Amino acid sequence: MTYSTEFHDRILAEERELVFDAFTRADAWQLGCRMRAAAVERELPIVIGIVLGGQRVFHCALDGAVPDNDSWLERKTRATLHFQRSSMGVGEQFRVNGRVYETDSRLPADRYAANGGVFPIRLHGTGVVGAVGVSGLPQVQDHEFVVAQLRAFRDA
């Protein structure tokens, strides 16, 4: 994948679009189950996680996922919550500005990762209250899966 300003602009538009009026633990469970069903149907070897209010409220690992996927999910989630934007958007912001996230962010790379796959749960009038993400596919596919699932959940 060639990274570009257009790709970053698309991510910014997704981040503006996918904002909710409310998001509860019950919503997290429904979204997580929806994501799991979609991933099982496509036989995706991923882990899925949702955090809300600093607490993990949904997590599952599907066939083919490995423990390293959990580590990546945690690191991407930390970056999303720290920067309050998608992990893919964080990485793209550094790239389009000619910077290297791993060194220029000054965050420990073993705890924070700006690779695609985690998206903030943002509420109108409140801001970021959590994050939803996956790990196990190439980063752009991780990102696109989460965005598609959030849109489907919002539109259900």
Side-chain angles (χ1 to χ4, degrees):
M1 169 101 202
T2 301
Y3 300 102
S4 65
T5 302
E6 293 81 23
F7 184 54
H8 184 241
D9 290 346
R10 185 183 95 195
I11 294 167
L12 287 169
E14 293 165 348
E15 291 172 350
R16 285 189 302 271
E17 168 198 355
L18 294 168
V19 180
F20 297 89
D21 292 325
F23 196 91
T24 65
R25 289 174 185 233
D27 293 326
W29 183 258
Q30 290 175 350
L31 173 59
C33 289
R34 173 187 291 270
M35 292 174 72
R36 183 189 181 283
V40 166
E41 181 178 308
R42 293 171 49 190
E43 298 180 353
L44 301 179
I46 61 174
V47 296
I48 302 167
I50 302 175
V51 296
L52 196 57
Q55 185 174 26
R56 183 181 310 178
V57 295
F58 185 93
H59 181 84
C60 72
L62 301 178
D63 288 342
V66 297
D68 194 46
N69 299 134
D70 289 305
S71 174
W72 275 100
L73 180 59
E74 289 175 15
R75 292 169 56 219
K76 295 187 291 187
T77 299
R78 282 187 196 103
T80 292
L81 295 174
H82 180 82
F83 289 97
Q84 303 219 337
R85 58 178 312 203
S86 70
S87 55
M88 186 93 247
V90 172
E92 283 303 295
Q93 182 176 341
F94 276 83
R95 285 185 275 278
V96 299
N97 289 320
R99 298 170 62 209
V100 177
Y101 171 81
E102 291 77 10
T103 54
D104 293 335
S105 72
R106 295 184 281 169
L107 294 170
D110 64 337
R111 295 196 39 84
Y112 295 83
N115 298 73
V118 177
F119 208 89
I121 298 169
R122 185 182 315 274
L123 302 183
H124 291 286
T126 301
V128 174
V129 297
V132 54
V134 303
S135 183
L137 305 173
Q139 67 171 332
V140 173
Q141 291 175 26
D142 275 350
H143 175 83
E144 290 174 345
F145 179 82
V146 173
V147 168
Q149 293 304 308
L150 280 169
R151 282 186 178 131
F153 178 76
R154 177 199 63 195
D155 296 342

